[in-house]
Amino acid sequence: MSSEPVAAAPASTQPLSSAEEKKIEAGEAPSTATPAPAAVEPVAPAPAPGVDQSKSEAVPVEEKKIEAAPAEEKKADATPEEKAAPVEEKKPVATPLEQLLTDLPAIIKEADHGEIWGVTLKDASHVPTTIVLEKFLRANSKDVTKAKAQLIEALQWRKKMDPVKLLNDVEFDKSKFGDLGYVTVYPKTDAHAKEIVTWNIYGAVKDNKATFGNVEEFIKWRAALMELSVRELDLASATEPIPVDGVDPYRMVQVHDYLNTSFLRMDPAIKAASKETIQAFSMAYPELLKEKFFVNVPLLMGWVFAAMKLFLSPETVKKFHPLAYGSSLAGELKGWGSELPEAYGGKGKAVNEGLTVKYAAEKSAPVAEEAQTEVKE
């Protein structure tokens, strides 16, 4: 028989049988046929022979139940107030567009102007408003702080410049800007969606100093022409938002024709006008451009593209396509290039049959007026 101590037998009012005594000596629990009285605390069973009792302390039954209890049962002793309190859920993080919409009232107040591109800015339920804000976000890689700053600047610029008035009410000098800019609308067909093309025919410039010398006047003319394109885009009537992370359908094409304009590479007045126009328009008209083509480009006009890279994002610069020959343009516009004018490789109407800004009636030449005076005398 082992000399290791054994657990004492539970107290009982009845004597143990010889079989029970042998079980106790062998380290086994006594039979459940002889239960201890209810008043007696349960005693842990004796350890098996050869087991160090100090390393096999019994764990009370109540503690085992607590360890195994699920998290819900652990809250059983919570107060009625704690049980009734709603479980806090993590709020989803606002998207950049939602954040900019939240800031919109403050933006309009700071700019003291709430109209842009024919759209009166409102709230999240107004699709045209979401389109405008999404364009400013995309122009700034979804950086809300930068988009907000640019939108404020653009609204302030529109308040000062009033491009809608320039388009509707101002008559420009035809001797300076006539035949330089047109807008062609190619209606939606089964083959393509509605396409808008803004043409800048710089080869039609008669006097580069007169056209570009007054930078402010030139920018006003360009703003009126740009506003004409935006009006045809008709964002105010849009009913479908820009798809999240999808292609923006509310954009247009621009074509700059530099045929016979080799002088542009050297003229400081034209460089100054181009630089300021690029800077102002990239701020005031972001993400309205689908693609921009520079056709009949002289080989030495690299400064134009160098200037653009200073003010435009790499994503925007990727939309620029210089072409040595105007006739190559139709092949670049898959699906509807054949509708372009013949000079650009298509079979459509001429550029000057498109829309343009208002021009003042040309005055009679002073020489002619003097001649008429002499006849009357």
Side-chain angles (χ1 to χ4, degrees), residues 171-188:
E171 294 182 340
F172 294 92
D173 189 334
K174 193 169 185 177
S175 66
K176 296 180 180 180
F177 307 109
D179 301 322
L180 266 65
Y182 297 92
V183 174
T184 304
V185 179
Y186 297 95
K188 180 179 179 180

Side-chain angles (χ1 to χ4, degrees), residues 2 31 47 61-62 64 66 110 126 151 162 167 204 214 238 253 299 344 358 375:
S2 172
S31 172
V61 176
E62 291 78 2
K64 289 184 178 180
I66 291 174
E110 182 174 346
H126 188 231
L151 180 54
D162 199 352
L167 174 62
N214 187 329
V253 174
L299 297 177
Y344 300 99
K358 293 181 179 180
V375 171

Side-chain angles (χ1 to χ4, degrees), residues 11 54 75 85 91 101 121 123 131 137 169 173 196-197 228 234 244 250 253 263 286 315 320 334 347 367 370:
S54 64
K75 297 180 182 178
K91 295 181 180 180
L101 282 164
L121 298 175
D123 53 31
I131 291 173
L137 284 167
D169 301 332
D173 189 334
I196 299 170
V197 180
L228 177 58
D234 195 16
V244 178
Y250 304 106
V253 174
F263 60 85
E315 291 74 18
F320 293 177
K334 308 298 182 183
K347 300 178 181 179
V367 176
E370 291 176 4

Side-chain angles (χ1 to χ4, degrees), residues 3 14 41 63 105 111 126 129 141 153 164 169 257 285 290 320 323 344:
S3 61
Q14 296 179 359
E41 292 293 331
E63 291 182 15
H126 188 231
T129 295
S141 303
E153 187 179 2
V164 176
D169 301 332
D257 191 340
Y285 297 98
K290 182 190 295 184
F320 293 177
L323 302 175
Y344 300 99

